[in-house]
Structures are given as C-alpha cells and as structure tokens.
Amino acid sequence: MIDLLAIGHATRDEFPGVEWRLGGSAFYAAAAAARLGARAALATRVGPEERAELVAACRGLGIDLVALPAAVTTTFAFSRAPDGGRQLRLRARAKAIALADVPLALREARAVIFASVAHELDVSLFGGFPRAIRVVEVQGYLREWDAAGAVRPRRWSAPHELLVAAHAIVLSEEDLGQDETPVPAWAETAPVVVTRAERGSRTYRAGSIVEVEALPVDAVVDVTGAGDAFSAGLALALADGLSFGDAIRFAHAVASFAVEGVGTSALADRAAVDRRLRESD
C-alpha cells in the first residue's frame, strides 16, 4: 500500500545563473515522504523535455511515479524582487489533473496531499480518497498571473468541496500576502496551518489559535520546498494516528532539514527526524 500520494504539477524552476531544476509542491512532498522511509507516489503531468529528469529523480528517491502526458511542463521563472523577496513568472502551464487520471491502486493510499501550484487540481479529486488522511496545500489557489505571466497574490474563496475534504489545509504567510483575515472562516470547516518560516506555525482550529515554535536548524541554505516537507510530515503523522499537536511538531522536524540544503538534498530519514525531535524537548 502507498503511504503517501502527492498530486499536483511537477515544475521546471528557472533561476538566474542556473539552467533549471525540478520543483513543484507535489514533487517536494513526495520526496520528503520517501526520505522518511514511507512508500511515496507522485501523480503529476510533465512535458517531454523534463520527463527523463523527473523519472531519474523519482527513481533515485524511491518515489512511485505516474507521469501523465503534457505538451509542456509547468514552468516558473524566479527572480529577485525590488524589496528583496522573490518574484515569479509563469512561463508555461500543463493541463489539469482529474480523479480519472489517478490509477485505482493509488486511490487506496493512507495519506494524500493535494498540492496546487497553478490551479491544476480538478474538483473531482477532492471526493476521491474517502479513507485517506487528506492534506491540501493551497498555494496555487492564492496566486494569479497576468497575460505576461507575472504572478501576484489573490484573494480566494475556498470552495466547499475542498474544505470538507481536508483534514488539514497548509499554506504560508507569504502565500497569504501577510494577511490572515480570511483564515478563520476557512477554519470553521477544516484546520488551517499557516507556516511562518523560522517563527514556526500558527494553527486555526475549532475556534482556537495554537502557535508552535520551529525547531533549530544547522543552517538555512534554501527554503524552497520546506512547506511541502512540512505537509508530508503532517500527513504521515496523522495517518499514523498521532494527535494533531504531535503531528505538527513532527512536521516541523521534517521541514527543519529541508532548509539545510538545495532542493531535496538535505531531506532526512526517520531516525534523524526523531533524534532532532528528542533533542528539542
């Protein structure tokens, strides 16, 4: 049985001075789960130019890959914004993923992460995994782009089908544009976890707000994918029967390793994650 299935577009991420590298929330979440020793699967779309790279990466990480065909791979160009933050441009977008695209065997996964980066998840997916722990990363719904592909934040009215399907919704302060005012309304239906980088997380749940500190790290090298590692840790911990609070702490431990290297290079195994949790007590 698959322990964790991540659904969403793998991406071609283009950075100044770097040709490109694989990315996408679903890819990073599956990678984190695989490094923890879970049997992880990724259902995604990928174009012909990036297919071989994605196949090789998933083979190396031990991820079961369902590489759905696409004319192009969803592509983001990263640059530095005038305020020092990052600036995104959507250069290409693959078509959406629907429940019919997911093989029946994968629909029995213990945990599923719906990981949107560019509005690519069809609503049919949300009712397709009734027995799984379901974590929704909503980053892709909180962005829009103009005709030139320049990405900017947007307000989002969370659809009922998504909220009722979720055991947890995960997003970052950056995704929200530092504005958490919509979150309490979403949390009336599903717990919402707002990640806050080195300041930990804030969980809105059942009318309460709980803040959890991040775990210390050896060095911050690259924060890309840290939130996705967090989601993978949260989903697996909930599937294993941990309380929500303990699952959040485990998720922070998983994410703490993700920032210590570029891409997936620093993701840790279960023994290292458990050791960091013990040391933080």
Side-chain angles (χ1 to χ4, degrees), residues 6-133:
I7 307 173
H9 282 174
T11 61
R12 175 187 174 112
D13 291 346
E14 299 177 346
F15 300 89
V18 178
E19 184 180 2
W20 65 276
R21 72 174 186 239
L22 288 172
S25 293
F27 171 68
Y28 283 123
R35 284 290 289 130
L36 287 169
R39 185 171 180 190
L42 169 64
T44 190
R45 289 198 184 276
V46 62
E49 293 187 15
E50 296 78 21
R51 178 176 289 266
E53 182 83 11
L54 180 62
V55 168
C58 288
R59 184 182 298 119
L61 289 161
I63 299 168
D64 291 2
L65 174 64
V66 176
L68 301 165
V72 295
T73 298
T74 294
T75 301
F76 288 101
F78 291 72
S79 60
R80 184 67 61 185
D83 63 1
R86 70 177 185 177
Q87 200 163 260
L88 283 179
R89 187 172 299 274
L90 180 64
R91 300 189 60 188
R93 180 176 176 270
K95 69 178 184 179
I97 302 170
L99 182 61
D101 297 314
V102 180
L104 289 174
L106 296 186
R107 299 185 202 177
E108 300 300 318
R110 294 198 306 125
V112 179
I113 294 181
F114 302 106
S116 172
V117 293
H119 305 192
E120 74 271 30
L121 302 181
D122 186 85
V123 70
S124 62
L125 287 164
F126 301 127
F129 302 86
R131 290 184 293 276
I133 290 294

Side-chain angles (χ1 to χ4, degrees), residues 129-207:
F129 302 86
R131 290 184 293 276
I133 290 294
R134 300 173 297 276
V135 172
V136 184
E137 292 193 75
V138 298
Q139 178 187 70
Y141 297 109
L142 295 168
R143 55 171 56 148
E144 60 186 7
W145 46 90
D146 61 22
V151 176
R152 57 179 179 259
R154 73 160 184 157
R155 296 282 288 190
W156 175 61
S157 297
H160 180 71
E161 296 92 340
L162 184 153
L163 292 175
V164 298
H167 290 96
I169 291 172
V170 177
L171 66 163
S172 72
E173 285 182 318
E174 182 183 14
D175 297 331
L176 287 164
Q178 311 301 320
D179 177 15
E180 297 184 26
T181 55
V183 173
W186 304 341
E188 291 177 5
T189 305
V192 180
V193 184
V194 180
T195 58
R196 308 168 68 213
E198 72 281 359
R199 291 176 293 119
S201 65
R202 179 180 288 138
T203 298
Y204 293 77
R205 185 178 184 222

